Structures are given as C-alpha cells and as structure tokens.
Amino acid sequence: MKNHERKVGTVSRGIRCPIIREGDNLAEIVTESVLDAAADEGFSIRDRDVVAVTESVVARAQGNYASVDAIAADVKARTGGGTVGVIFPILSRNRFAICLRGIASACKKVVLMLSYPSDEVGNELVSLDKLDEAGVNPYSDVLTLERYRELFGVNPHPFTGVDYVQYYGDLIKACGADVEIVFANRPATILNYTDTVITCDIHTRVRTKRILRDAGAKIVLGLDDILTASVDGSGFNSRFGLLGSNKATEDTVKLFPQNCRPLVLDIQKRILDATGKCVEVMVYGDGAFKDPQGKIWELADPEVSPAFTDGLRGTPNELKLKYLADNQFAGLSGEALKNAISESIRAKDADLKGQMASEGTTPRQLTDLIGSLCDLTSGSGDKGTPVVLIQGYFDNYTTA
C-alpha cells in the first residue's frame, strides 16, 4: 500500500468572531472561536499552528481610546501651544487626521512641512516625472504652498481622491490655528520657522529627532511622545504614544494596543489545555509589504507585531529548492531528485546565513512575514475575521 503523502502545505484561515467590545474577555473569545471553527470545518489543531489576533480588536477590548481634547491637552502641556512645526506626516484621514486635529487645537499656529514627492509610506503628492519636468530637486529645494500649486496644481490621491494639502490645511484652520504649509525633505528646514517641532514620521523618527536636536531645536517630540500616559482618564500607549492609532470616531482615535504579552500567553495556554497542542500566538497590525500599483508601503504601524509567543522569534532558515534542483541535483529527476532534496533539507545547517543554497529566500522576521499573511487574509473591511489561523507554516518538503 502506498504511503500517504500530504498534498497541502501552508493554509491560512480567517476565523469569524463575535463583534468585540470594550471589557470583553478576548482570550476566551479567540480560543472558543478557533475551536468552534475547527469543529465546524472538520480540521484539527496541530502543534506550531499560529493563532493571530488583529491589533484592532485587542485595543478595542482594552478600551484604549483617546479624544481630540486629550491629544490637545498633552500637546499644549509639552509644547506651550505657540507656533509648532508638524513635519513629515503620512497622508491619511484614518491614520493622521484626528491626531492633527488634536495638535492644531493646542496651537496658535501650525507650520505643516510635508515631504515630497510622497510621504513616508508612499502616498504621492506629485510624481517623480513631474518633479523632473519642473527641474525641482526634492533633496534640496524648499517649496512654499504657492510655488507647489504654481508648479503642480491640484494632485488628488489616486485611491481616495483627496487633495491632502488642501484637506490638512483646512482641518488646521477649522481648529482655530493659523497654518503655513511648506514642502521639504530635510528635517532641519523646519527650524527656519519654529524651534518647537512634532515629527510625525514612523520608521525614520529616531533619526529625524536626532537631526533636529543636533540642529538646535528647543522642543522635539514625535507622535510616539504624545499620550504615553493617560490624560484625564484617556487611553495611552507607553511605548508608541499616538503611533499606530486609527480613527475611531470624528473625535476619537483608537490607540495601538499595549501590554499584549499576557494575552498571547493566555490564548496559548487555553488552547493547550483544550487540545493538548502548543500553538504560537501573535497580535498583528499592518503587514510589511508594498503595493506595486500605488507604490504605497502598507506598514503605517510602528511594528507589525506588538506581542507574540517565543516560538515566533527569529527568521526563517530555509533552503531554496529551485537552487538545489538547478545546481547540485541538476542531473536527477523524478523520485531520485525528490529523495536527494529531501535529504538535503533533513541535513541542513541550523543557520544557513550566507550559504548559496539559501540565496533568494526571505530573510525577514517571522512575525513580519506571518503578520503580512494575516493582514492580507483578514483584510481591512467587512470580512469579519479578526483572528487568523495559520497551519503548516513551519512545515517543509519533508513533513508528512
């Protein structure tokens, strides 16, 4: 009788859950939802399955929200509320508009300095081709709003149709602050306008703050320095402040969840107790991938995964099957090729870094890879699957 050979590798399933509300026992809900799905669909939980929970429902269960007024109070206390430079924000109604309302409500004047031709995550203000045609050097040239309009006119976002230059300017004025908009890519340029700066970039923020301080800025804050503690009972995030926040209502943001480690360990234990299987668990936010059409890099959160169990540390350690088939075993085919590759996998080194046989594999953190898979599986709309179960991710060609 022929030995059974598994025909399926990695499987990613979106798990439907009840609508999560503040105060819900999320560990219990996630565990029950995963086990109910397994029973309903007829699959079994296995060791090293990955259960991933979107950060959105974690923050909601935590009740980690903050109002425009709380943001404004913190900004005013930290800056004095005079003329404040707000530099390098991403162009997003969901991610930044409510934060900007809070900042502007605290200030007499906002000098908004936008990076160009695009923001940090790839949302375009103007195309590189138009910059070339205009003879503008984005590395050195500083453009006023008037010069920007003269050269490039109105440039609505290709996906949302929003002219973010107009949108942000109007938003600041509606909060009662004066506004001046400039376009520049060197952080120190803002010091020509004010010595009090809030830098709103995400992944480059540490460098930007250093440059501003070295250039003589008096007050330098990042979004990660605002709401690091509760203001009048508001939510907060001690590590990331406003970074990773999303619009909840017209007047509130849902902050990035914090202290999620107990949650992932609780879910892991509950599933172990129920099934005898040790799964890995993570909380995930934005995936780390880039849209080739819109040139937008998805990752607007400060990190893909704010908490995960220990088995998700590190990077993959994989051989490139195509390389083996085309090189060491180019003369083999059929069963002989399969056996040779299988034996190579079984005998592979614990660390393949630098070896040709691993060239072309993806040397990214496991949590970034798996979080990206989860983000694509769950989507950001109405799928109703805030939990993702991934099976077979750690299997290889030899796994029965």
Side-chain angles (χ1 to χ4, degrees), residues 1 11 42 75 98 129 132 140 156 164-165 197 213 246 264 326 342 362 381:
M1 183 177 179
V11 175
V75 169
I98 307 300
D129 289 332
D132 292 341
S140 60
Y164 278 97
V165 177
V197 186
R213 291 188 183 108
N246 285 272
V264 298
D326 291 343
S342 296
T362 309

Side-chain angles (χ1 to χ4, degrees), residues 122-180:
N123 294 292
E124 261 190 8
L125 281 174
V126 60
S127 71
L128 283 169
D129 289 332
K130 286 185 177 180
L131 287 186
D132 292 341
E133 290 170 11
V136 171
N137 182 348
Y139 300 104
S140 60
D141 293 352
V142 178
L143 306 178
T144 63
L145 176 60
E146 293 71 25
R147 184 59 174 159
Y148 169 82
R149 292 298 192 198
E150 178 187 331
L151 291 172
F152 307 118
V154 175
N155 293 277
H157 191 282
F159 292 162
T160 66
V162 174
D163 173 8
Y164 278 97
V165 177
Q166 182 77 37
Y167 179 72
Y168 281 173
D170 289 347
L171 185 155
I172 293 167
K173 286 184 280 189
C175 293
D178 294 332
V179 60
E180 183 173 359

Side-chain angles (χ1 to χ4, degrees), residues 182-259:
V182 295
F183 303 80
N185 289 308
R186 289 178 294 125
T189 298
I190 193 65
L191 301 182
N192 295 326
Y193 304 85
T194 178
D195 60 4
T196 301
V197 186
I198 300 174
T199 182
C200 303
D201 45 346
I202 305 162
H203 307 291
T204 55
R205 64 187 185 276
V206 173
R207 175 177 181 267
T208 302
K209 289 181 190 180
R210 172 180 56 78
I211 290 171
L212 289 168
R213 291 188 183 108
D214 290 349
K218 180 181 175 183
I219 296 173
V220 178
L221 299 170
L223 289 180
D224 57 332
D225 299 308
I226 300 168
L227 285 188
T228 55
S230 180
V231 174
D232 297 327
S234 73
F236 65 98
N237 190 298
S238 56
R239 288 181 64 204
F240 296 122
L242 285 175
L243 283 182
S245 63
N246 285 272
K247 177 181 178 179
T249 70
E250 293 303 320
D251 298 303
T252 59
V253 291
K254 178 185 58 56
L255 300 169
F256 208 50
Q258 65 169 2
N259 193 28

